[in-house]
Amino acid sequence: MTGQSVVIIGAGVVGAALADELSARGWTDVTVVDQGDVPATGGSSSHAPGLVFQINGSKTMTEMARYTVEKFVELDSFHQVGGLEVATTTERLAELRRRQGWAASWGVEAQLLSPEECVARHSLLDRDKVLGGLYIPTDGLARAVRAVDAQLSRARERGVRVLPRHEVLDVRTEGGQVTAVVTDQGEIPADIVVCCAGIWGPRVARMVGMELPLTPLAHQLAWTGPVPDLAGQTAEASRPILRHQDADLYYRERFDTLGIGYYGHRPMPVDPDDILSVDAAEVMPSVLTFTPDDFADAWSETQELLPSTRSAKVEEGINGLFSFTTDHLPLMGQSREVKGFWVAEAVWVTHSAGVGRAMAEWLVDGHCTSFDLHECDVNRFEPHQIAPGYVVARGCQNYVEVYDIIHPLQPMEDPRPLRTSPFHPRQQELGAVFLEASGWERPQWYGANGTLLQGREIPAPGDWAARYWSPIVGAEAQATRESVAMYDMTALKRLEVGGPGAVAFLQRLTTGDVDKSVGSVTYCLLLDTDGGIRSDVTVARLGPQHFQVGANGNLDLDWFDRHRPADVYLRDITPGTCCIGVWGPRARHLVQPLTTADLTALRYFRGTRAYIGNVPVTMLRLSYVGELGWEIYTTADLGLKLWDTLWEAGQDHGVIAAGRGAFTSLRLEKGYRSFGTDMTFEHDPYEAGLGFAVKLDKGDFIGRDALLARKESVTRRLACLLTDEVVMGREPVYDGEHAAGYVTSAAYGHTIGKGIAYAWLPASLATPGRRLHIGYFDRRVEAVVAEEPLFDPAMTRLRG
């Protein structure tokens, strides 16, 4: 046997996929345990209806689904009948066009169908109810139990042990490292334990003190008796799997009957501790008693859409348990507290083989090369996001919204508010319209700035882009460039790093040279060992062994903590601090009279400690909007005083408060990237136009060796496109009829008078002047590749 000793808890589709993928990579000291029988273990995989619709707004989730389909086809565990999503409202028809754009962006074949073409594909449909449809020929039905059996069989042939009827009682740890899994039939030593227990995941994770933000919810699946129009059908399914998302419904055939899945009923959360054992459950632990009253509306709507069902009856049904998370995405990765304890949870059959491959790569190679996992990492959550009440509330709401049309800017509605900056009362007084970011209430624009609209022509975007938008956004952007504006930057993650080993630690983790004089600020990247970008950060040296890091989120905190040596301390100072960005050509006029610090001597990318009035602050001369100014930090208790001091002094200089809408417009005019949107784990600095942040001559750092090879083989680039229309992101970019790339960030540039869209393109197309098109709903928007930055390329404003 080779590889580390691994115990996989759970033999459903995820555990089976991981065992297969690990053993295929040479790790055969693997044991799979499950409390149930194999391959039908009694978890969600055993009752899953098997419908696989691949298209998702997430590129990663779509790619995982595509891999799952390809693998299940190879295993003879997939019936590729195609998938059809139908629209019965004009809003849904527009949404299907947006989804077709996702398909083109992520490289999945998809066709928009007329009502007649929908009926030709699925003859049970009522032509008069359907306005159109989206057809994916490679979608279909996964045979989950067969896939489990096939993958475990291959794993067994390579030496993997599979132990059914082994209930996990505990996971032993010693010195923060897993050592064994305790079952009712004995103890199994382990270097690595991977929890693939599905709806039991939170229970298993608690054995090592880990809170898993997962909620099991009951989901209704019913089966009709014989349907006349299916009479005599000898194939299990001959028509595409079908979704009627306007009514929260999906359908699949089973010979002459129909399976009907329904998301429109009340949420039915279940405590993982209340799930019955395999032997105590009447059918299986993941199957609860069907509640017909909750299904009544589903049956009425089904009879309207599929008239042939009017002479059939609902003959059986279940309330089957599935896993939901707070953000619709899986939970993957290693516990922060216990080394060797990993999870692969909240994974549906649709993505199971992809997750298995990703986890195997992560375990064997130390990172995943096939998929970008930044949005799936279990350590992405802020502390409040794993509170039990929050987890249940968000899981239930995500169940309700699973088929809803969600706008890219749409914030969660409840629970709110959770986190407010010290400036929040003043922002409310100014009529702020708040969206939400990591729990923070963040102004998008301010109603009080409506007076700025006088004398300005702010072009209105189309209906979709105009949601969560106001012309005030454009006025705030222009006013920032004309005078001075205050931006609440509190929601951005701030880390404090210090100690005797701080310099060496940061030199090792970042691409920049941070070993500079006190007061220096360095823009850096965090890379994985393969050279992929994990984040972009600013590192401010506030003392010989004291640094403040401007980070992107909890994954950065997790990355720093995993690599931190004993002589370095690390603190998340975000909750106890706040930040105002004061930016614009009159920024110095506003701030200089309030401080004894010589702000003219404080050069670009330098910082200092000072006082603003009576408020002690840290001032960093940075600007994400491309204007003169500073990020000004203080402690939370003095935040309101800082705001009031700046605001009062700013009245003579035309100061305004400005929101995130203006901020986004201005940063795109300046060409500044946003991690998680413009670049992710799958991209390297040279592709992303961030090679300037890499100092190869400073000595070794994580990812350096990989970069030396990647630098010479750039085949794609992040490019700036100019348009006459505003798009929103994730749309396909076409070179002729060929989908060649996809949009990342987009907004209107209110001081350059053009729509801006950043997009990933083949390097051969990312040349200024190249004319392309962006697929936006049912239209092609003309776009041209532009030189960047679009605004102030000589940097005179920033350095003035």
Side-chain angles (χ1 to χ4, degrees):
M1 292 186 177
T2 58
Q4 297 191 66
S5 175
V6 180
V7 175
I8 299 170
I9 301 174
V13 282
V14 181
L18 178 55
D20 182 36
E21 297 282 345
L22 275 177
S23 58
R25 286 164 176 78
W27 278 28
T28 54
D29 188 1
V30 177
T31 303
V32 183
V33 299
D34 199 289
Q35 63 182 334
D37 296 310
V38 175
T41 63
S44 301
S45 302
S46 302
H47 70 74
L51 290 81
V52 174
F53 291 92
Q54 296 167 83
I55 296 306
N56 192 293
S58 162
K59 180 173 182 282
T60 296
M61 298 302 284
T62 299
E63 290 174 339
M64 286 179 170
R66 181 167 53 200
Y67 179 76
T68 300
V69 167
E70 292 168 354
K71 185 174 184 182
F72 282 15
V73 167
E74 175 197 345
L75 295 173
D76 192 28
S77 300
F78 197 77
H79 193 4
Q80 207 153 42
V81 292
L84 177 62
E85 304 177 26
V86 295
T88 59
T89 64
T90 55
E91 293 80 8
R92 182 66 61 179
L93 187 60
E95 172 71 357
L96 293 185
R97 288 171 176 146
R98 186 167 73 118
R99 292 174 65 80
Q100 185 194 32
W102 294 344
S105 291
W106 316 144
V108 177
E109 181 185 354
Q111 306 163 20
L112 275 172
L113 304 184
S114 68
E116 292 76 17
E117 290 170 322
C118 289
V119 174
R121 292 279 182 188
H122 202 297
S123 60
L124 271 60
L125 288 165
D126 184 343
R127 160 63 183 81
D128 294 334
K129 287 277 290 184
V130 176
L131 301 180
L134 180 66
Y135 177 65
I136 312 293
T138 52
D139 286 347
L141 288 167
R143 298 180 173 97
V145 173
R146 183 184 294 185
V148 169
D149 196 28
Q151 292 177 101
L152 288 180
S153 294
R154 297 204 309 192
R156 281 192 187 100
E157 291 172 358
R158 302 183 189 112
V160 171
R161 290 195 306 163
V162 180
L163 303 178
R165 288 287 174 170
H166 279 61
E167 182 181 358
V168 173
L169 304 178
D170 197 9
V171 177
R172 293 204 189 281
T173 64
E174 185 176 331
Q177 164 75 54
V178 298
T179 58
V181 172
V182 181
T183 77
D184 59 353
Q185 299 191 46
E187 189 168 304
I188 308 168
D191 301 314
I192 294 172
V193 174
V194 187
C195 178
C196 303
I199 54 178
W200 291 277
R203 186 191 299 181
V204 174
R206 282 199 299 271
M207 294 175 183
V208 297
M210 183 180 185
E211 290 297 325
L212 207 60
L214 180 158
T215 301
L217 282 122
H219 166 61
Q220 291 200 303
L221 176 67
W223 292 95
T224 70
V227 175
D229 285 1
L230 299 178
Q233 181 167 297
T234 56
E236 180 182 359
S238 60
R239 295 165 184 80
I241 56 174
L242 181 66
R243 278 209 284 213
H244 176 25
Q245 291 163 293
D246 286 318
D248 299 305
L249 287 161
Y250 63 79
Y251 305 93
R252 59 152 295 173
E253 298 174 12
R254 187 178 65 184
F255 300 103
D256 63 348
T257 68
L258 273 183
I260 307 169
Y262 186 43
Y263 287 104
H265 57 78
R266 61 191 168 91
M268 305 177 193
V270 175
D271 190 315
D273 291 329
D274 294 336
I275 300 172
L276 296 176
S277 67
V278 171
D279 292 326
E282 184 176 344
V283 180
M284 64 179 77
S286 61
V287 170
L288 306 182
T289 302
F290 187 63
T291 50
D293 289 347
D294 291 302
F295 196 72
D297 290 343
W299 183 234
S300 297
E301 184 63 34
T302 295
Q303 292 174 309
E304 290 294 316
L305 183 72
L306 309 173
S308 184
T309 61
R310 293 170 188 168
S311 57
K313 294 181 179 179
V314 175
E315 294 199 349
E316 57 180 304
I318 63 170
N319 288 3
L321 294 181
F322 287 98
S323 300
F324 277 77
T325 62
T326 60
D327 59 5
H328 287 296
L329 293 164
L331 308 173
M332 302 169 61
Q334 185 176 199
S335 163
R336 281 188 67 185
E337 290 76 23
V338 179
K339 186 178 180 181
F341 186 82
W342 293 69
V343 300
E345 290 288 351
V347 180
W348 294 5
V349 174
T350 299
H351 311 102
S352 59
V355 168
R357 178 175 185 173
M359 291 295 298
E361 291 178 352
W362 203 346
L363 288 165
V364 175
D365 302 328
H367 60 268
C368 175
T369 54
S370 295
F371 311 101
D372 161 39
L373 298 182
H374 86 274
E375 59 188 4
C376 302
D377 193 312
V378 70
N379 296 296
R380 65 189 180 269
F381 300 103
E382 295 290 323
H384 73 274
Q385 293 172 324
I386 57 175
Y390 182 95
V391 171
V392 172
R394 294 308 308 153
C396 289
Q397 188 59 34
N398 286 337
Y399 184 91
V400 170
E401 294 177 351
V402 71
Y403 280 170
D404 285 4
I405 299 170
I406 305 295
H407 190 273
L409 294 178
Q410 183 173 327
M412 72 174 189
E413 296 179 3
D414 183 69
R416 283 180 68 191
L418 286 168
R419 309 171 83 181
T420 56
S421 78
F423 324 130
H424 190 254
R426 299 295 183 261
Q427 293 166 343
Q428 289 179 305
E429 292 168 6
L430 293 171
V433 175
F434 295 97
L435 300 185
E436 181 267 345
S438 298
W440 291 100
E441 295 296 312
R442 186 166 66 185
Q444 190 73 1
W445 69 84
Y446 291 85
N449 289 332
T451 56
L452 293 175
L453 291 171
Q454 186 173 355
R456 301 179 191 271
E457 292 186 7
I458 307 296
D463 290 344
W464 184 246
R467 300 184 189 184
Y468 305 99
W469 177 88
S470 165
I472 294 173
V473 167
E476 290 177 358
Q478 293 176 358
T480 301
R481 297 240 189 267
E482 295 163 359
S483 55
V484 60
M486 292 166 51
Y487 288 83
D488 182 359
M489 304 299 290
T490 302
L492 298 184
K493 178 73 77 176
R494 291 174 292 285
L495 307 178
E496 184 179 72
V497 177
V503 174
F505 169 63
L506 290 170
Q507 289 287 76
R508 172 68 177 154
L509 251 66
T510 71
T511 61
D513 184 1
V514 304
D515 192 8
K516 295 184 287 193
S517 61
V518 172
S520 64
V521 184
T522 309
Y523 177 77
C524 308
L525 303 173
L526 307 180
L527 304 181
D528 213 325
T529 53
D530 66 345
I533 300 172
R534 289 195 61 94
S535 189
D536 64 337
V537 298
T538 54
V539 179
R541 191 169 197 174
L542 304 181
Q545 299 176 347
H546 180 206
F547 295 82
Q548 179 174 306
V549 177
N552 279 297
N554 236 41
L555 287 186
D556 294 349
L557 175 63
D558 178 64
W559 186 253
F560 274 57
D561 200 32
R562 290 187 188 282
H563 291 86
R564 180 176 59 87
D567 60 351
V568 172
Y569 68 82
L570 171 68
R571 300 190 187 104
D572 180 358
I573 61 172
T574 313
T577 56
C578 57
C579 179
I580 301 174
V582 181
W583 294 312
R586 296 193 62 79
R588 188 177 287 121
H589 295 82
L590 191 165
V591 180
Q592 183 63 84
L594 301 175
T595 183
T596 57
D598 183 355
L599 298 185
T600 301
L602 189 65
R603 303 189 308 277
Y604 185 50
F605 265 78
R606 297 288 298 179
T608 189
R609 285 176 165 152
Y611 285 88
I612 299 293
N614 295 319
V615 179
V617 298
T618 298
M619 302 179 66
L620 305 182
R621 189 169 168 188
L622 308 176
S623 174
Y624 211 41
V625 301
E627 292 290 339
L628 169 68
W630 304 269
E631 294 178 356
I632 304 177
Y633 300 87
T634 192
T635 52
D637 59 323
L638 289 168
L640 192 59
K641 183 62 176 178
L642 175 63
W643 179 283
D644 288 345
T645 302
L646 291 167
W647 186 258
E648 181 180 350
Q651 297 309 302
D652 293 336
H653 302 286
V655 72
I656 66 163
R660 189 69 177 187
F663 179 91
T664 299
S665 172
L666 295 172
R667 70 105 175 160
L668 288 179
E669 289 185 340
K670 194 59 184 167
Y672 292 145
R673 277 70 165 137
S674 175
F675 177 79
T677 303
D678 296 317
M679 69 278 192
T680 66
F681 291 2
E682 66 178 303
H683 304 114
D684 72 48
Y686 303 109
E687 297 171 330
L690 297 174
F692 67 88
V694 178
K695 307 304 179 187
L696 291 171
D697 58 353
K698 74 160 186 172
D700 194 25
F701 56 86
I702 295 174
R704 183 181 184 276
D705 291 344
L707 279 192
L708 293 174
R710 293 180 73 153
K711 183 179 181 181
E712 306 305 323
S713 57
V714 174
T715 60
R716 60 184 173 182
R717 294 193 183 277
L718 185 65
C720 178
L721 305 179
L722 289 179
T723 69
D724 290 326
E725 186 169 346
V726 178
V727 298
M728 294 296 293
R730 301 180 180 175
E731 297 89 356
V733 179
Y734 290 94
D735 178 32
E737 293 303 310
H738 170 65
Y742 59 91
V743 173
T744 58
S745 296
Y748 191 78
H750 290 283
T751 59
I752 66 165
K754 283 283 188 178
I756 306 169
Y758 272 79
W760 281 102
L761 298 173
S764 60
L765 297 181
T767 54
R770 183 71 182 234
R771 295 195 171 275
L772 304 164
H773 289 84
I774 298 172
Y776 191 57
F777 292 94
D778 59 342
R779 293 177 292 107
R780 297 287 177 91
V781 175
E782 292 187 0
V784 61
V785 179
E787 292 272 11
E788 56 173 328
L790 302 168
F791 180 81
D792 188 26
M795 306 281 280
T796 55
R797 290 191 174 233
L798 283 168
R799 300 183 186 277

